[in-house]
Amino acid sequence: MKRIGVVTSGGDAPGMNAAIRAVVRIAYSKDFHALGFKRGWEGLITNTSTVLTPRSVGGILQLGGTILNTSRSPQFRKRDGIEKTAETLASNNVEGLIVIGGGGSFKGALELSRETDTMIVGIPATIDNDVFGTDETIGFDTAVNTAVKEIDKIRDTAISHERVFAVEVMGRRRGFLALTVGLTVGAEIILVPEVKYAEDDIFKTLRENSAKGKKSGIIVVAEGVAHVSRLVGEIEENTGAEVRLSILGYAQRGGSPTARSRLLANLFANKAVELLSREQGNKIVGLHKGRITSIDLEKSCKTEKPLNLKLLKLANILAT
Ligand code: F6P
């Protein structure tokens, strides 16, 4: 192997830059050259790249976002997008491609793998933590900590005013972030897309809490669960509680990566480059029971990562 390509794709995640830096430096230590494709798959479709060297990736370890930029490219999912990408890889003599992103990016990578000889390895990086084949993705821990810091502040004002707060966190399709955040802030109620909720249960919990002297509360709601402002109105009407809404939004995707997100970035990059150096492509790297592992890209794309519902039960017990 002489040259590897690197691309960041889909929603950005804190630690993507740490992963780029590690990929490039580890690649150079094995005498590979590295080419960074810009703006996600778009850069592969349009052949827009930049040479990455150990020096050019200096000073980015602690930065959120991605120096390569990213995008969600609808053109890539079409036939001509994939064909153009395969041409770009061939014309640049890219023998191995490292895709740093989430499940959507890996589905694209799987389609691409059927049209190219370039070996592809995925490094899971998304705040949603919804990639099968890894217990944790790069950026998840940072997003959890960002949300926890904000909700702790909201808790102060909730207690002072004896109010209930609904706090919307990211996660359009999956509730990994909402569940971990909810558990670690001691949320009274956690709503995730994987579990159907009944409004009556929410009203009941809040009425019971109020009756036992708990006049304030935090409801953590994953983005994909409900029309949250409508839900807030319903709760006010049915419980008499004063309810405020706080949407944490895109701040959760930014910021300096935590030590844990950086560590995962370094370990995943190390494994990804090692796989390519052994000519093992079409895999994603991951963390499984404390070990850095890899599984087939196809298996990762075709399997849904289960949400640990025991944690939801535990959170409910802890919130009494
Ligand atoms: O990066 C994942 C994610 O944050 C999801 O939780 C959310 O649904 C989505 O990205 C929204 O991102 P965008 O508006 O960039 O498509």
Side-chain angles (χ1 to χ4, degrees):
M1 171 127 356
K2 290 193 184 70
R3 178 178 279 173
I4 64 168
V6 192
V7 64
T8 49
S9 166
D12 61 341
M16 279 183 160
N17 280 327
I20 295 168
R21 168 184 176 272
V23 162
V24 172
R25 291 188 173 174
I26 295 162
Y28 268 74
S29 76
K30 296 181 189 292
D31 289 331
F32 307 152
H33 290 269
L35 207 52
F37 289 94
K38 301 282 290 178
R39 285 177 227 97
W41 295 119
E42 237 176 85
L44 279 137
I45 293 168
T46 58
N47 196 1
T48 314
S49 65
T50 177
V51 171
L52 297 172
T53 66
R55 279 299 85 236
S56 73
V57 294
I60 66 168
L61 170 66
Q62 73 285 9
L63 302 180
T66 158
I67 57 157
L68 290 175
N69 303 112
T70 186
S71 65
R72 301 186 196 273
S73 172
Q75 205 204 332
F76 181 73
R77 300 310 286 268
K78 296 188 191 132
R79 182 101 207 128
D80 73 317
I82 297 210
E83 277 170 9
K84 281 188 187 143
T85 299
E87 275 165 34
T88 300
L89 291 170
S91 64
N92 286 288
N93 299 319
V94 174
E95 291 169 79
L97 178 68
I98 292 185
V99 180
I100 305 171
S105 305
F106 294 161
K107 285 199 176 102
L110 179 63
E111 284 177 46
L112 173 63
S113 71
R114 295 180 179 129
E115 303 293 328
T116 179
D117 292 333
T118 300
M119 285 172 286
I120 301 174
V121 174
I123 293 184
T126 160
I127 66 160
D128 290 339
N129 196 26
D130 57 350
V131 176
F132 182 84
T134 186
D135 296 341
E136 191 178 326
T137 53
I138 297 168
F140 177 66
D141 181 67
T142 309
V144 168
N145 279 289
T146 300
V148 165
K149 259 187 221 143
E150 291 308 303
I151 299 176
D152 283 350
K153 293 177 205 160
I154 292 171
R155 179 72 82 178
D156 292 343
T157 178
I159 292 171
S160 303
H161 282 264
E162 300 186 309
R163 282 173 177 160
V164 172
F165 273 81
V167 185
E168 186 188 274
V169 301
M170 274 193 154
R172 207 168 282 165
R173 278 180 292 273
R174 303 304 311 271
F176 295 96
L177 186 62
L179 179 52
T180 305
V181 168
L183 178 73
T184 52
V185 299
E188 278 65 27
I189 296 169
I190 302 170
L191 303 180
V192 291
E194 291 84 352
V195 181
K196 238 177 134 33
Y197 73 94
E199 286 190 351
D200 283 342
D201 291 343
I202 299 175
F203 307 153
K204 187 166 167 266
T205 304
L206 293 177
R207 282 196 208 104
E208 282 172 4
N209 284 355
S210 173
K212 66 186 174 202
K214 206 176 195 188
K215 303 286 182 199
S216 65
I218 301 284
I219 307 173
V220 170
V221 188
E223 195 187 354
V225 169
H227 192 300
V228 71
S229 54
R230 197 192 56 78
L231 179 64
V232 164
E234 295 287 329
I235 298 172
E236 283 202 312
E237 217 167 276
N238 285 276
T239 62
E242 200 180 1
V243 189
R244 292 286 190 270
L245 170 62
S246 197
I247 296 177
L248 298 189
Y250 288 86
Q252 291 161 98
R253 274 221 313 236
S256 181
T258 56
R260 183 161 177 84
S261 290
R262 297 179 200 195
L263 181 65
L264 278 188
N266 292 334
L267 297 176
F268 284 178
N270 192 35
K271 181 77 177 175
V273 178
E274 182 201 310
L275 286 173
L276 288 179
S277 70
R278 287 199 273 118
E279 314 239 314
Q280 289 185 23
N282 303 338
K283 300 212 173 279
I284 69 142
V285 300
L287 176 75
H288 182 60
K289 295 184 178 165
R291 288 184 53 239
I292 303 299
T293 53
S294 65
I295 67 160
D296 284 343
L297 179 60
E298 182 157 11
K299 180 155 191 212
S300 173
C301 291
K302 297 204 165 148
T303 320
E304 184 155 281
K305 182 171 172 177
L307 186 71
N308 184 355
L309 294 179
K310 283 186 190 157
L311 286 184
L312 195 54
K313 273 196 184 154
L314 176 63
N316 289 337
I317 292 168
L318 294 172
T320 48

